[in-house]
Amino acid sequence: MSQHKIFAKQDVRKLYLDEQGNVDFNKIQARWDELKKIKESLANKHYTQAVVEKVKTMSAEDQQRFLDIMIAGLTNDDSSVGISATRPEDYDVFLFYLEPLIREYHKIEGETKQEHDWNIPVGEYVLTKIDPALEKVSMRARVARNVVGYNLPSSMDKDERIKFENQMVTVFENFGIPGKYHSLTPGHKNFISDQEADELRKKHFLFIDMTSDNYLMSNGVASDWPYGRGIWVSQDETKMVWVGEEDQLRIISIVQGNDLGKVDQSLHELLTGIEKSGLKFAEHPVYGIITTCPTNMGTGKRQSILGKFPNLSKSGTDEANLKEKAKSIGLQARGTGGEHSSMDQEGTADISPSARFGVTEAIVTKRLFEGLIVLYQLEKTAVPEKGRNNCCITF
């Protein structure tokens, strides 16, 4: 399907139903076969005849949910993974399909179990050791979390989104960290205008309008926009919580400075405060933190810096080169607005380690630091020294 037109979930899923509204596995297979000529996603690769036969023995409701899990992969020609879970239980009910995919993506071999470790030193992973110019850098760390008792955002309806948002407002009002919640929900007591929302985006705080993203529209994450969406920001603007994006919560710490350990310290304080409110986060006994996209399972943690890489990105005109160089050393490069967003003319990118599973929270930080040593060296040698631009962005 065209990547230029936005397809809503309720529309695209009809393409894979028969006249009675039941899942039509022949139509699904035909589409997967078509996509193999363009790009084979992991969802496509692991859609085997054995999987189909297993699903056919399940209830009609579970068959519909199985379709929903794959719908983004079926819709988007360029999908690499193509899976969005609809509820925490999907990772048990459909494990026969999802487990091989998860293990391939995260390069898991043999027996495994996700472990956690927040023992991250302050004073060790200091960016000025890489380059003295990296004195004031926008450093950020976030964890994805979903709460037991709710559907995941891909299958929440409008009422459930609003109910969840209101529960989180109560948490924010009582968990002891000074701050304010900004809601995108029309009529909400904390509602903010489009102009106020854009100001938060200019600060790289708030996520973008998700209805412009075909992945999030086709898998249902962006449904009912903007209801149930918003952001809590601490008084000192170093701690934030997204509500209602790809996961129910994205818990974020943003610190201007050069010590990655201080970001983790701030993030863990925020995460602990939310947990003490009584919320129970969904977690799989083997694969760790449950997330809508299985690529984020494990720690659910993403740690990054915002940096300028004008040489590797050719002033933002060759994002692919920067992304390729980052990938070769175990890092991901994205635009400042998150996944699927673009870099600016200065080559400003969000750089993070790609690993989520099979590593602890502490290892994620260590890998970011070690990767940045290499990436900044590549940026430095991409053109003569006199041609360099400042390669960090202050926040």
Side-chain angles (χ1 to χ4, degrees):
M1 293 182 183
S2 169
Q3 297 302 303
H4 302 291
K5 182 179 179 181
I6 302 298
F7 296 93
K9 179 180 179 179
Q10 65 267 27
D11 296 326
V12 292
R13 70 185 318 281
K14 293 176 184 177
L15 300 173
Y16 307 102
L17 303 178
D18 62 22
E19 293 180 356
Q20 288 73 44
N22 299 313
V23 174
D24 191 322
F25 293 95
N26 290 328
K27 291 180 179 178
I28 294 174
Q29 187 63 64
R31 176 59 175 160
W32 283 139
D33 290 342
E34 178 186 356
L35 286 171
K36 284 179 180 177
K37 300 173 184 176
I38 304 170
K39 181 178 181 179
E40 185 180 45
S41 65
L42 290 178
N44 191 345
K45 178 180 179 179
H46 293 283
Y47 183 85
T48 64
Q49 190 58 39
V51 166
V52 172
E53 294 305 319
K54 173 75 171 177
V55 176
K56 285 181 177 179
T57 68
M58 305 177 83
S59 69
E61 180 182 354
D62 279 340
Q63 290 183 26
Q64 295 284 350
R65 197 176 288 275
F66 181 68
L67 171 60
D68 288 339
I69 288 172
M70 303 182 296
I71 196 66
L74 290 164
T75 305
N76 295 281
D77 296 357
D78 61 348
S79 181
S80 297
V81 179
I83 292 292
S84 299
T86 68
R87 56 180 178 171
E89 294 81 7
D90 287 346
Y91 289 105
D92 292 317
V93 175
F94 300 109
L95 192 63
F96 61 91
Y97 173 55
L98 296 175
E99 186 168 45
L101 183 152
I102 292 169
R103 293 179 71 87
E104 178 172 345
Y105 178 85
H106 292 287
K107 299 179 175 61
I108 301 169
E109 297 180 0
E111 292 187 10
T112 187
K113 187 178 187 300
Q114 177 63 45
E115 303 291 345
H116 299 284
D117 177 14
W118 283 93
N119 185 24
I120 301 165
V122 171
E124 183 168 341
Y125 304 122
V126 180
L127 298 177
T128 49
K129 293 179 182 179
I130 299 174
D131 187 332
L134 301 177
E135 179 68 32
K136 291 185 178 180
V137 178
S138 177
M139 308 177 297
R140 51 190 63 203
R142 64 92 168 143
V143 289
R145 292 293 187 271
N146 292 284
V147 176
V148 172
Y150 288 92
N151 287 306
L152 296 178
S154 60
S155 63
M156 296 174 88
D157 61 21
K158 181 179 175 180
D159 289 342
E160 189 176 18
R161 295 182 196 280
I162 293 173
K163 177 183 177 182
F164 180 78
E165 180 185 34
N166 289 336
Q167 181 177 0
M168 289 310 304
V169 169
T170 301
V171 170
F172 297 142
E173 290 173 346
N174 294 285
F175 78 149
I177 301 176
K180 183 179 180 181
Y181 182 69
H182 309 268
S183 176
L184 302 182
T185 301
H188 194 281
K189 66 177 183 179
N190 300 106
F191 177 72
I192 58 172
S193 66
D194 289 343
Q195 182 178 357
E196 290 171 305
D198 286 341
E199 287 300 314
L200 289 171
R201 293 186 180 107
K202 287 178 183 177
K203 292 182 176 182
H204 305 299
F205 289 0
L206 182 61
F207 47 91
I208 61 175
D209 181 339
M210 295 192 291
T211 60
S212 62
D213 188 315
N214 209 22
Y215 289 87
L216 301 181
M217 281 295 290
S218 59
N219 69 10
V221 166
S223 298
D224 309 307
W225 177 270
Y227 290 89
R229 276 73 173 206
I231 180 174
W232 175 87
V233 182
S234 66
Q235 199 170 70
D236 62 3
E237 297 190 336
T238 65
K239 298 178 178 67
M240 295 156 211
V241 181
W242 288 358
V243 176
E245 210 242 12
E246 184 178 56
D247 292 293
Q248 292 162 3
L249 300 174
R250 292 283 172 91
I251 302 165
I252 305 163
S253 173
I254 302 179
V255 176
Q256 179 183 337
N258 53 66
D259 189 339
L260 296 178
K262 290 185 177 180
V263 188
D264 287 296
Q265 190 178 61
S266 173
L267 176 64
H268 195 238
E269 177 188 357
L270 177 56
L271 179 62
T272 301
I274 294 174
E275 287 178 318
K276 286 180 178 178
S277 71
L279 291 182
K280 183 179 180 182
F281 296 131
E283 186 162 0
H284 192 274
V286 175
Y287 296 109
I289 299 301
I290 285 177
T291 53
T292 301
C293 181
T295 63
N296 290 320
M297 291 184 74
T299 60
K301 180 190 177 192
R302 186 174 187 274
Q303 184 153 358
S304 66
I305 68 157
L306 285 185
K308 293 181 180 179
F309 297 88
N311 303 326
L312 289 175
S313 69
K314 298 179 183 177
S315 299
T317 63
D318 190 0
E319 294 184 15
N321 182 55
L322 174 56
K323 289 180 178 180
E324 181 182 345
K325 293 292 192 297
K327 184 177 180 180
S328 70
I329 53 176
L331 299 178
Q332 289 178 328
R334 299 178 176 178
T336 57
E339 193 170 11
H340 310 307
S341 65
S342 299
M343 300 173 195
D344 61 19
Q345 294 180 349
E346 296 178 294
T348 307
D350 183 286
I351 306 295
S352 71
S354 56
R356 303 281 190 275
F357 182 85
V359 293
T360 64
E361 290 79 5
I363 293 298
V364 171
T365 305
K366 182 174 185 288
R367 288 192 179 177
L368 174 59
F369 184 74
E370 292 173 347
L372 287 172
I373 293 173
V374 178
L375 193 63
Y376 273 111
Q377 184 60 34
L378 292 172
E379 169 68 14
K380 183 177 181 180
T381 57
V383 295
E385 180 72 21
K386 62 181 181 180
R388 288 184 66 199
N389 292 321
N390 179 31
C391 54
C392 60
I393 182 170
T394 58
F395 175 83

